[in-house]
Amino acid sequence: MSTKKILTLVFLFSTDAAGKRLVLLGMKKRGFGVGLWNGFGGKVEPGETIEQGARREVEEESGVHVETLHPAGVLWFEFGTDPMGLECHVFTANAHEGTVVETEEMRPQWWDAEALPFDSMWPDDILWWDHILKRQQFAAAFWFAADQKQILRQAVNAVDVL
Ligand code: 6OG
């Protein structure tokens, strides 16, 4: 592995009138992961911290501001023989300011956090989502086939402090 990209992925939580936990996902309308539901995020740009990058992407893709981000996990992805690895920093947020809007990149929708549309999400998500629900930090790595669909090898571990 010669190079890597640093990415962010933020899951915004809320509760409904009955106290059920809801999570905001966006249907990716273009680019990497198009056609899949996912959290909000993207590449960290030069000169910004990972958290600043995460906040910026949430604002760009959903229209809302999140102040407090909780580190939830770190994901490592490799695809086929591609020398570029992706290091994806996952955060949760329990509060946001502003109104969620559809953007050019994402069509947002609130989901029951315990019933996510895993069939239309990246295939790794179902393998670590329980850690998020249990508020257990995690570190995971996934080696995908070149088709970006099949996971050939994986490791998912709970960790104490990120
Ligand atoms: P942009 O291309 O929009 O950033 N991402 C992944 N998310 C999950 N759940 N699983 C994966 O498995 C992912 N690979 C990338 C990180 C891409 C966005 O997609 C996320 C970013 O939030 C391979 O700038």
Side-chain angles (χ1 to χ4, degrees):
M1 186 57 47
S2 54
T3 43
K4 69 175 180 182
K5 269 187 206 160
I6 310 277
L7 301 175
T8 58
L9 183 59
V10 179
F11 292 96
L12 219 64
F13 281 84
S14 184
T15 45
D16 69 8
K20 191 193 285 285
R21 287 177 90 194
L22 303 177
V23 64
L24 188 70
L25 299 180
M27 166 52 70
K28 191 88 188 284
K29 291 159 71 174
R30 65 180 189 200
F32 195 58
V34 63
L36 299 178
W37 293 102
N38 206 350
F40 298 83
K43 287 174 217 54
V44 176
E45 292 185 350
E48 64 183 6
T49 65
I50 292 172
E51 287 205 9
Q52 286 168 344
R55 269 192 209 98
R56 176 183 50 73
E57 290 281 354
V58 168
E59 268 182 55
E60 285 175 9
E61 294 182 349
S62 76
V64 301
H65 178 75
V66 286
E67 193 54 43
T68 305
L69 290 168
H70 303 281
V74 179
L75 302 167
W76 175 258
F77 301 115
E78 294 183 27
F79 301 93
T81 56
D82 189 341
M84 179 71 76
L86 305 180
E87 182 184 297
C88 181
H89 294 254
V90 185
F91 299 91
T92 59
N94 298 316
H96 63 273
E97 295 155 36
T99 307
V100 174
V101 293
E102 179 165 351
T103 61
E104 282 183 14
E105 185 126 351
M106 288 285 210
R107 174 166 57 84
Q109 186 176 315
W110 291 98
W111 297 81
D112 176 345
E114 298 194 10
L116 294 192
F118 288 114
D119 286 350
S120 305
M121 296 174 72
W122 279 100
D124 56 284
D125 295 17
I126 196 170
L127 301 170
W128 47 262
W129 184 250
D130 259 7
H131 286 78
I132 297 251
L133 291 181
K134 292 176 182 150
R135 298 180 171 83
Q136 168 64 67
Q137 292 186 330
F138 58 96
F142 300 94
W143 290 267
F144 279 79
D147 66 3
Q148 299 180 352
K149 290 192 171 73
Q150 205 194 340
I151 296 173
L152 303 176
R153 193 155 64 91
Q154 58 171 285
V156 182
N157 290 295
V159 297
D160 283 337
V161 182
L162 281 180

